[in-house]
Amino acid sequence: MLLHNRAVFALGLRMCSARVRRGPLMDTRRPNSDMSEFREIFSKAKHIAIITGAGVSAESGVPTFRGDNEKWRKWQSQDLATPEAFSRTPSRVWEFYHYRREMALNKKPNAAHLAIAECEARLRKQGRTVVVITQCIDDLHRKAGSKHVLKIHGSLMETRCVSCGHVTVNKRSPICAALKDKGAPGPDVADAQIPVDKLPRCGESDCHGLLRPNVVFFGETLDSHILTKVEKEMETCDLCLVVGTSSIVYPAAMFGPQIASRGVPVAEFNKNTTPKTEYFTHHFQGPCGTTLPLALARHESEVI
């Protein structure tokens, strides 16, 4: 299993598993929920890595791929988020992502996003660092004010040309005229069947290729440059928080346990325990917007 996990990380392949993957515990003690103990560790940390997942954005009203939101119209969301689906039915996939883009554009950061951003800004003045390693593609961390963000699954607010590869920030609403008022998720809504030449197109001179969302589809490899930066942060951090993630999407599910294997304190913040909870030193159960602001607030030892 460990060899499999290392291979997945090396490939940077985005994959989802519903199976509980277990390995040797880092410690025989159960993760504790002692906030005062965590706060003491936090007060001494110089390089903090915060790994965030869809649960953080869910508290802002952004649907996840789980539970009630597994389907868009009559299709499984994960079946639409693949390169094969985009190749076969680009109009349907663009409707799906247009729906997600428009929703994300209208959502606001919640207390967890704001606590992370405030913590980063405050600790920067003290010569300490905070990096956000996020699986979220909604750009809410940036909207909250976070500066050091590694987006391992890409961004809904960026497009990439399938012809020339050009990537650009794109927050237009709608992203093209043909998608205006399209993308409704109801099970009885028919596909718009938009002609390919009316879908978002590249603005580079002499290109005009088809654009796709600059996100990592299931089955695609993660950006190697981003992964290199993630590995560096994992090797140098002296405290890690795993926030709002189910810990079943690889390779991100491995990040926390890999950091814990170095003996670094890792605290999980989630509404429920996860397949990786047993690897961590701390677990704080409840909404991230409630638990995280308490954890990241200014410590009495901080000098501003």
Side-chain angles (χ1 to χ4, degrees):
M1 184 62 68
L2 288 177
L3 287 175
H4 171 78
N5 287 349
R6 288 176 188 146
V8 171
F9 186 85
L11 287 171
L13 188 69
R14 185 183 182 190
M15 54 189 291
C16 180
S17 173
R19 294 179 296 161
V20 175
R21 298 170 183 250
R22 297 190 180 274
L25 291 173
M26 298 299 105
D27 196 312
T28 56
R29 298 173 298 174
R30 292 177 61 85
N32 74 60
S33 301
D34 187 333
M35 182 62 80
S36 62
E37 179 184 290
F38 170 82
R39 294 279 292 158
E40 281 303 308
I41 296 170
F42 167 74
S43 72
K44 297 176 176 64
K46 302 296 184 184
H47 306 289
I48 303 171
I50 303 180
I51 301 167
T52 67
V56 177
S57 295
E59 292 182 28
S60 286
V62 178
T64 69
F65 279 127
R66 312 272 175 253
D68 295 338
N69 303 301
E70 283 186 310
K71 282 193 172 183
W72 175 84
R73 295 181 183 168
K74 59 184 178 182
W75 292 281
Q76 293 287 335
S77 296
Q78 291 183 21
D79 291 338
L80 293 169
T82 69
E84 293 80 13
F86 187 75
S87 177
R88 288 193 306 266
T89 54
S91 173
R92 178 185 300 160
V93 174
W94 255 122
E95 277 199 86
F96 171 62
Y97 277 100
H98 176 66
Y99 162 71
R100 298 186 69 194
R101 275 172 53 93
E102 292 295 305
M103 179 173 294
L105 283 167
N106 287 290
K107 298 301 181 183
K108 295 181 179 179
N110 60 56
H113 293 110
L114 296 172
I116 292 170
E118 190 278 332
C119 179
E120 179 190 1
R122 189 180 78 245
L123 297 193
R124 188 187 306 117
K125 297 175 183 177
Q126 303 170 29
R128 302 160 68 189
T129 64
V130 174
V131 60
V132 178
I133 301 169
T134 187
Q135 302 169 76
C136 302
I137 60 175
D138 48 52
D139 226 29
L140 287 177
H141 281 299
R142 290 285 190 187
K143 195 179 287 189
S146 291
K147 304 298 183 186
H148 193 185
V149 182
L150 298 177
K151 298 174 285 188
I152 63 171
H153 290 162
S155 172
L156 284 170
M157 305 310 158
E158 296 176 356
T159 54
R160 184 168 83 244
C161 178
V162 300
S163 298
C164 72
H166 181 69
V167 174
T168 187
V169 174
N170 189 324
K171 297 182 181 180
R172 290 197 300 269
S173 174
I175 191 170
C176 69
L179 280 166
K180 181 176 173 60
D181 299 326
K182 300 296 190 295
D188 298 323
V189 177
D191 283 0
Q193 298 185 352
I194 300 168
V196 174
D197 63 347
K198 300 298 183 183
L199 292 173
R201 312 300 295 191
C202 183
E204 291 295 287
S205 59
D206 301 323
C207 182
H208 202 58
L210 176 65
L211 295 179
R212 56 164 279 180
N214 190 38
V215 298
V216 180
F217 290 145
F218 285 99
E220 290 186 324
T221 56
L222 275 60
D223 186 315
S224 60
H225 298 293
I226 296 295
L227 276 183
T228 298
K229 292 178 181 179
V230 168
E231 287 187 273
K232 181 178 178 181
E233 298 294 345
M234 290 170 58
E235 290 167 359
T236 58
C237 70
D238 54 5
L239 174 63
C240 175
L241 283 65
V242 179
V243 184
T245 173
S246 59
S247 291
I248 61 172
V249 177
Y250 285 74
M254 297 160 51
F255 295 168
Q258 189 165 332
I259 292 170
S261 72
R262 293 199 292 113
V264 173
V266 179
E268 183 178 56
F269 295 77
N270 211 317
K271 285 186 176 180
N272 304 293
T273 58
T274 72
K276 302 303 182 189
T277 301
E278 61 182 2
Y279 287 84
F280 305 144
T281 54
H282 297 78
H283 174 81
F284 299 101
Q285 196 150 332
C288 302
T290 300
T291 57
L292 207 58
L294 295 173
L296 297 181
R298 186 176 73 85
H299 189 268
E300 61 185 13
S301 64
E302 291 182 37
V303 177
I304 302 299

